[in-house]
Amino acid sequence: MEPYKLTATEVIAQIRDGSLTVEDYAKSLLSRIEQRDPVVKAWAYLDPDLVLKRARELDQIPPDQRGPLHGVAVGVKDVIYTKDMPTQHNSPIYTADAPALDAGCVAVLRQAGALILGKTTTTQFAATVAGPPTTNPHDPARTPGGSSSGSGAAVGDFQVPLALGTQTGGSTIRPGSFNGVYAFKPTWGAVSREGLKIYSLVLDTLGLYARSVGDLEVLADVFALTDDEAVERREGVEGMRFALLKNARDVFPEPGTGTKGAMEKAVRLLRENGASVEEVGMEWPEFGKIPAWHRCIMSTDGRTAFLPEYRTNKEKLDGFLVGHVENAGGYTHKARLEALDGIGALRPRVDEVLGRFDALITPSVLDEAPLGIESTGSAAFNGAWTALHVPVVNVPGFCGENGLPVGVSLVAPRYRDRHLLAVSGEVGKIFEGQGGWTRKNI
Amino acid sequence: MEPYKLTATEVIAQIRDGSLTVEDYAKSLLSRIEQRDPVVKAWAYLDPDLVLKRARELDQIPPDQRGPLHGVAVGVKDVIYTKDMPTQHNSPIYTADAPALDAGCVAVLRQAGALILGKTTTTQFAATVAGPPTTNPHDPARTPGGSSSGSGAAVGDFQVPLALGTQTGGSTIRPGSFNGVYAFKPTWGAVSREGLKIYSLVLDTLGLYARSVGDLEVLADVFALTDDEAVERREGVEGMRFALLKNARDVFPEPGTGTKGAMEKAVRLLRENGASVEEVGMEWPEFGKIPAWHRCIMSTDGRTAFLPEYRTNKEKLDGFLVGHVENAGGYTHKARLEALDGIGALRPRVDEVLGRFDALITPSVLDEAPLGIESTGSAAFNGAWTALHVPVVNVPGFCGENGLPVGVSLVAPRYRDRHLLAVSGEVGKIFEGQGGWTRKNI
């Protein structure tokens, strides 16, 4: 098999047993990218010479000094600082800007031996829905989603096995679904956000992409994610308990055909495989306010976050973000505090309900990726979970009307990240095996 | 008067009317620093040639294109990124490190015309109490406090009129009191924290130093701080209502002689000047948990924040921070969530009580600055307010047993920053006039 097709776990094994060098692996990825990038356009910055230089340096490290990610390539969303590459935020204010700074997550990855491959495209500051030129690897007429457009597309297209994204609304989970890959938004605060451009301190979370849950677990190890309780390892989903949100319409819109079909099939497959799936309500009067509260927090945090760019380069700032700074939404501080405190009060209540189940199943997206790349699509199914700070995994495996991938989200209480990954691994085997959508080694 | 003695407001006026150039002003500050820095050691980085170059550039800007802070010098705590100077965090890991990045607050200041003078000393990552070499300008045998040691000392010593600090426990307010200056911790989230090294996302707040409340108001304008309601301007404190926390011993230790005297005198002076001062209780069972919750949040946020440095340079990381990463406190995620959610639930309740008054008066510090510079002192009176996200101003004017300055804190509900500054201005006139400690133009 061509090395570019390997998962991170497989790359680690082949480099460890000496059957693959980091340099040969890098060359395989670069040739894949060379072949595909003219169509997919997932990269905001990629310097093949730098990649090969770093790959050769990694090959020189003696085996007993190698880290757990030795040689594995990682794409980094271009709102995350990298000290040897530019960080441009898809903003004309920061064209070719290159502060010599590694984000905390990038420093941890490098120390673990990762090969930072390049910077992946994003919407402006990961804060708008205006797409970069990136296309969906499964259909170039469609969006890969956003704001982590390039990371989702590059992993879905076998250009890199792992990538970093961020999520403030649905910026990690949506591209996960549209590109047919696993996407993981850990518990808010569980991974350093040092060196990620700020949109909202309360909402922004690092996101992780891979083509297998095992790969996400390797990343979770590297980022020292732990649960309070040891994770029970089980084969299959027999006896697992899943929840469906009874009052989903209080916070989410009606899903489209692709997602409706995926949800129905997901429930059927879980039941056929011995799991229970039951409806659970979060029917508190405040629950329905979450979408409005999420918008208020995003907008009022954005008011503060983009003041520097507004003051120095207003004419180069996206109109949506100018609106945040100018408070186009007319939010008072009182409204902001009601949103912050209201969401805060719901978090432990939601945790308590989620804690009764192995995971809650909920849509990742409205439907398969829509036509056009101008808009990266709707985050309507994601913002509530982002605001609640709970971990979410997009599990792929289903198919929309036009043959594009559709995933569903699994959700667990805060700091049950490892449990959620373990459950997602078993669920993923079933969904990927019997859901109807198969990842092509394009 | 020597220009170095001027407040920011006075500098703005003199530059505006043409009686002072930025270059001459900068030369005066540099000569003050040259004379005093061998003793005070407030600067982690200062390049006089760069300062003079920037000053001359500012002098070239036509008057109609000048910003509101045109030519005013600002010191920047060395955990805040500046694109033309190193940012070293008082850490051997980052010696001479200089990512070409301006923090959001620095970008806003530059755009407003500020002259970024240099980087001020800090404890390691603003996260320990181990003092930098900086001494108290009023007694070189004593600490200037920390972690914003250099910013507090430089403003207190007339080396710069304005400076930026940060606060996670008491890192802004404590140096304010020890150095006899105004220190302002705005509402959490009101000013961009882009480009400030992270200790705790939930606690870290930018802090501001000045020798007059008018100067802090200029900064508040530049940072676009607003209240929901228009601020009522009054002369004097007649008719104002102040609160004292009845159950202070639930969260704070017994203050020392200097602070006890300052608090008593503060109450007497306010009453003599026509204000009311009444006791108010926050006697909820959870209130007493705030100090433990604050420690838990700081430690568990630090566990995530310093993982990158721990992984890459453990041997160069302060033992206290190694303890955070290794979870020396033995905190579970459950304990962390209880702390986060518990403090979150208290915030609106505390706001409600504070909202009945013009401000609450509470100690800033245990006492005047202690002897020795090894430790920057205790933050016992500050952490609760930091965790509650409320704005706090240290108002100087009182005197300890050894003649050193002692301030008291005024506290208001979240997002009443401008109201609090207006009140602090009137209170400050009284405390500075009759409190017993006078700032010498050393």
Side-chain angles (χ1 to χ4, degrees):
Chain A
M1 207 199 299
E2 285 290 331
Y4 74 77
K5 296 181 182 174
L6 301 172
T7 63
T9 314
E10 291 164 343
V11 169
I12 291 166
Q14 293 203 9
I15 293 178
R16 192 169 290 161
D17 74 15
S19 59
L20 182 66
T21 66
V22 182
E23 183 175 4
D24 284 344
Y25 172 53
K27 284 179 177 167
S28 175
L29 291 171
L30 290 172
S31 104
R32 171 75 181 167
I33 291 168
E34 197 182 357
Q35 179 207 337
R36 292 283 300 165
D37 198 52
V39 174
V40 179
K41 305 186 186 80
W43 300 92
Y45 183 85
L46 193 143
D47 175 354
D49 292 336
L50 177 66
V51 170
L52 291 171
K53 179 170 171 283
R54 294 266 180 262
R56 285 187 289 264
E57 286 165 6
L58 285 164
D59 280 327
Q60 293 308 309
I61 296 174
D64 61 340
Q65 291 167 33
R66 293 177 176 182
L69 277 179
H70 186 80
V72 177
V74 183
V76 177
K77 184 177 182 178
D78 202 22
V79 291
I80 302 174
Y81 290 104
T82 42
K83 69 177 169 189
D84 51 359
M85 298 172 189
T87 301
Q88 305 177 88
H89 313 285
N90 190 19
S91 159
I93 304 172
Y94 294 97
T95 302
D97 202 45
L101 180 70
D102 266 347
C105 53
V106 172
V108 166
L109 289 173
R110 282 196 211 271
Q111 194 273 338
L115 174 68
I116 304 300
L117 202 65
K119 305 303 282 284
T120 56
T121 58
T122 174
T123 71
Q124 191 173 120
F125 298 113
T128 79
V129 293
T134 312
T135 64
N136 192 303
H138 308 293
D139 179 353
R142 293 172 189 267
T143 177
S147 63
S148 310
S149 315
S151 285
V155 173
D157 198 44
F158 294 87
Q159 300 186 23
V160 70
L162 302 175
L164 304 182
T166 62
Q167 177 153 316
T168 306
S171 285
T172 291
I173 298 300
R174 180 153 93 269
S177 184
F178 285 178
N179 295 288
V181 299
Y182 290 89
F184 173 38
K185 182 194 84 63
T187 299
W188 181 90
V191 180
S192 165
R193 67 145 302 155
E194 182 84 51
L196 280 58
K197 187 79 168 83
I198 295 172
Y199 181 4
S200 164
L201 283 184
V202 178
L203 301 169
D204 299 348
T205 318
L206 185 75
L208 307 172
Y209 289 103
R211 291 188 303 271
S212 87
V213 173
D215 283 12
L216 292 178
E217 289 181 315
V218 171
L219 285 173
D221 285 341
V222 166
F223 287 121
L225 295 185
T226 55
D227 292 3
D228 276 345
E229 283 160 38
V231 173
E232 202 188 331
R233 284 273 160 198
R234 286 187 279 186
E235 280 282 321
V237 299
E238 173 111 38
M240 283 192 189
R241 294 183 62 201
F242 293 89
L244 286 173
L245 186 60
K246 196 199 289 184
N247 56 321
R249 285 304 85 76
D250 287 355
V251 285
F252 301 130
E254 181 76 20
T257 320
T259 289
K260 226 170 152 181
M263 285 292 292
E264 283 164 10
K265 203 165 192 178
V267 170
R268 183 164 57 74
L269 287 173
L270 289 173
R271 286 184 176 145
E272 283 172 8
N273 283 274
S276 72
V277 185
E278 48 194 300
E279 285 207 320
V280 66
M282 301 195 190
E283 292 159 296
W284 315 301
E286 304 86 357
F287 194 72
K289 294 186 181 173
I290 295 181
W293 282 344
H294 177 268
R295 279 193 301 276
C296 170
I297 295 171
M298 204 156 72
S299 186
T300 56
D301 268 350
R303 185 178 179 185
T304 298
F306 296 110
L307 181 69
E309 284 81 10
Y310 178 87
R311 284 281 176 75
T312 55
N313 287 281
K314 181 181 166 185
E315 71 292 346
K316 293 183 182 172
L317 190 62
D318 187 282
F320 180 66
L321 306 181
V322 168
H324 284 350
V325 179
E326 294 180 346
N327 194 18
Y331 294 106
T332 59
H333 294 309
K334 184 164 175 277
R336 168 174 167 79
L337 293 176
E338 188 188 311
L340 287 172
D341 297 340
I343 286 272
L346 283 179
R347 284 185 197 120
R349 298 172 75 181
V350 170
D351 279 351
E352 190 278 317
V353 174
L354 293 174
R356 299 181 215 151
F357 300 91
D358 283 291
L360 178 137
I361 320 172
T362 182
S364 289
V365 288
L366 271 172
D367 211 321
E368 59 187 354
L371 281 166
I373 62 166
E374 300 73 23
S375 166
T376 59
S378 163
F381 286 102
N382 316 113
W385 309 119
T386 309
L388 289 165
H389 290 176
V390 292
V392 182
V393 172
N394 174 70
V395 179
F398 302 101
C399 194
E401 280 183 308
N402 298 284
L404 278 101
V406 174
V408 298
S409 285
L410 297 186
V411 182
R414 289 177 291 173
Y415 287 110
R416 292 200 77 193
D417 299 77
R418 302 307 302 251
H419 167 82
L420 181 64
L421 286 175
V423 170
S424 300
E426 296 306 313
V427 170
K429 283 180 208 162
I430 294 166
F431 290 0
E432 289 209 89
Q434 305 166 59
W437 180 80
T438 308
R439 185 177 298 115
K440 297 167 199 73
N441 283 5
I442 310 165
Chain B
M1 205 199 304
E2 287 289 331
Y4 73 78
K5 295 181 182 172
L6 301 171
T7 63
T9 314
E10 292 163 345
V11 170
I12 291 167
Q14 294 203 9
I15 293 178
R16 191 168 293 161
D17 74 16
S19 59
L20 183 64
T21 65
V22 182
E23 184 175 4
D24 285 344
Y25 173 54
K27 282 179 177 166
S28 175
L29 291 170
L30 290 172
S31 103
R32 170 75 180 166
I33 291 167
E34 197 182 359
Q35 177 205 337
R36 291 284 298 166
D37 199 52
V39 174
V40 179
K41 306 186 186 80
W43 300 91
Y45 182 87
L46 193 145
D47 174 354
D49 293 335
L50 177 66
V51 170
L52 291 171
K53 178 170 172 282
R54 294 265 180 261
R56 286 187 289 264
E57 287 166 4
L58 285 163
D59 280 326
Q60 294 308 310
I61 296 175
D64 62 339
Q65 292 167 33
R66 293 178 177 183
L69 277 180
H70 186 81
V72 177
V74 183
V76 177
K77 184 176 182 178
D78 203 22
V79 291
I80 301 174
Y81 290 103
T82 42
K83 69 178 168 187
D84 51 359
M85 298 173 189
T87 302
Q88 305 176 88
H89 313 286
N90 189 19
S91 159
I93 303 171
Y94 294 98
T95 303
D97 202 45
L101 180 71
D102 266 348
C105 53
V106 172
V108 166
L109 289 173
R110 283 196 211 271
Q111 194 274 337
L115 174 67
I116 304 301
L117 202 64
K119 304 302 283 283
T120 57
T121 58
T122 175
T123 70
Q124 190 173 121
F125 298 113
T128 78
V129 294
T134 313
T135 65
N136 192 301
H138 309 293
D139 180 351
R142 293 173 189 267
T143 178
S147 65
S148 310
S149 314
S151 285
V155 173
D157 198 43
F158 294 86
Q159 299 186 23
V160 71
L162 303 175
L164 304 182
T166 62
Q167 177 153 315
T168 307
S171 285
T172 291
I173 298 299
R174 180 154 93 268
S177 184
F178 286 177
N179 295 289
V181 299
Y182 289 91
F184 173 37
K185 182 195 84 64
T187 299
W188 181 90
V191 181
S192 166
R193 68 144 301 155
E194 183 82 52
L196 281 57
K197 187 79 168 83
I198 296 172
Y199 181 2
S200 165
L201 283 184
V202 178
L203 301 169
D204 297 350
T205 318
L206 186 75
L208 307 172
Y209 290 104
R211 292 189 301 273
S212 87
V213 173
D215 284 12
L216 291 178
E217 289 180 316
V218 171
L219 285 174
D221 285 342
V222 167
F223 287 121
L225 295 186
T226 56
D227 292 2
D228 275 346
E229 284 158 37
V231 174
E232 202 188 332
R233 284 274 161 198
R234 287 186 278 185
E235 279 282 323
V237 300
E238 174 111 38
M240 283 192 191
R241 294 183 62 200
F242 293 89
L244 286 173
L245 185 61
K246 196 199 289 182
N247 57 319
R249 284 304 86 75
D250 287 354
V251 285
F252 301 130
E254 181 76 18
T257 320
T259 289
K260 227 170 150 178
M263 286 292 292
E264 283 163 12
K265 205 167 192 177
V267 171
R268 182 164 58 73
L269 287 172
L270 289 173
R271 286 186 176 144
E272 283 172 11
N273 283 275
S276 72
V277 184
E278 47 195 299
E279 286 207 319
V280 65
M282 302 195 190
E283 294 160 295
W284 315 300
E286 305 84 358
F287 194 72
K289 293 186 183 174
I290 296 182
W293 282 345
H294 177 267
R295 279 193 301 277
C296 171
I297 294 171
M298 204 157 72
S299 187
T300 56
D301 268 352
R303 184 178 178 185
T304 298
F306 296 111
L307 180 69
E309 284 81 9
Y310 178 88
R311 285 282 177 76
T312 56
N313 287 281
K314 182 182 167 186
E315 72 293 346
K316 294 183 182 172
L317 190 62
D318 187 282
F320 180 64
L321 305 181
V322 168
H324 284 351
V325 179
E326 294 180 347
N327 193 18
Y331 294 107
T332 59
H333 295 308
K334 184 165 177 275
R336 168 174 168 79
L337 293 176
E338 188 189 310
L340 288 173
D341 298 339
I343 286 271
L346 283 177
R347 283 184 198 122
R349 299 172 75 181
V350 169
D351 279 351
E352 190 278 317
V353 174
L354 293 173
R356 299 181 215 152
F357 301 90
D358 284 292
L360 177 137
I361 321 171
T362 183
S364 289
V365 289
L366 270 171
D367 211 321
E368 59 186 355
L371 282 166
I373 62 165
E374 300 73 22
S375 167
T376 58
S378 163
F381 286 102
N382 316 114
W385 309 119
T386 310
L388 289 164
H389 290 176
V390 293
V392 182
V393 171
N394 174 72
V395 180
F398 303 100
C399 195
E401 281 183 308
N402 298 284
L404 278 102
V406 174
V408 299
S409 285
L410 297 185
V411 182
R414 289 176 293 172
Y415 287 109
R416 293 201 74 194
D417 298 77
R418 301 308 301 251
H419 168 81
L420 181 66
L421 286 174
V423 170
S424 299
E426 296 306 312
V427 170
K429 283 180 206 160
I430 294 166
F431 291 179
E432 289 209 88
Q434 305 165 61
W437 180 81
T438 309
R439 185 177 298 115
K440 296 164 201 72
N441 284 3
I442 308 167

